[in-house]
Amino acid sequence: MTTPGGIGPRLRELREARGLSLSEVARRAGIGKATLSGLETGVRNPTLETLYAVTAQLGVPLSAALAAAPAQRVSGAAVTATLLRTFEEQGCTFELYRLVVAAGARQVSPAHQAGVTEDLTVFAGALRTGSADAPLLVGAGEHASWRADVPHVYEAVGGTDVQASLLIRTPSAR
């Protein structure tokens, strides 16, 4: 299996630009050095959880890695996220995603870098989401917001997939 698009080389480029070793980023992200090496060389397929763990340690939003992917889509244990738009404003990067959360599935997203927040609007289905310590139940037509610099969850409640939008706000590195 190969890494979609240019995500692997882009991860390597971001890591090297920060002067970080493969071992250091892997250790900080809580993944194996072989896993990170496999991602960078394109022999391993990244999950959403792994990409978030790595990009958080590089101090960049997920879209910095996804920009190199043709479909700009990545999947995790429960979530498939499609990047719709990225924009910079007032010292922050904003990323807008379309999410599909598989019925009956649960995903724990690792903490993003300090100051990151997420805003989610559910269009269909019901979702338990937010901080892993105190998730919120969000139904169709409802919105939730939380700090994403702590572990957080996405869990479809009920027998249908959840359709939602997610806006991630990442403060610019200082």
Side-chain angles (χ1 to χ4, degrees), residues 10-101:
R10 179 67 177 144
L11 288 175
R12 180 183 309 119
E13 176 185 311
L14 290 165
R15 177 180 59 76
E16 289 175 348
R18 284 152 183 76
L20 297 170
S21 71
L22 191 74
S23 297
E24 181 64 15
V25 172
R27 184 187 63 75
R28 289 182 187 177
I31 63 174
K33 182 179 172 182
T35 297
L36 183 55
S37 177
L39 293 177
E40 287 187 358
T41 59
V43 297
R44 293 197 69 146
N45 205 15
T47 64
L48 189 54
E49 298 91 337
T50 300
L51 284 175
Y52 272 132
V54 172
T55 56
Q57 297 314 310
L58 295 173
V60 298
L62 178 64
S63 61
L66 285 184
Q72 298 187 336
R73 181 183 350 205
V74 66
S75 296
V79 176
T80 297
T82 304
L83 180 63
L84 300 175
R85 182 170 183 230
T86 301
F87 54 97
E88 302 275 334
E89 192 175 283
Q90 300 175 0
C92 294
T93 298
F94 292 87
E95 302 166 281
L96 180 61
Y97 292 92
R98 178 177 51 239
L99 295 187
V100 176
V101 183

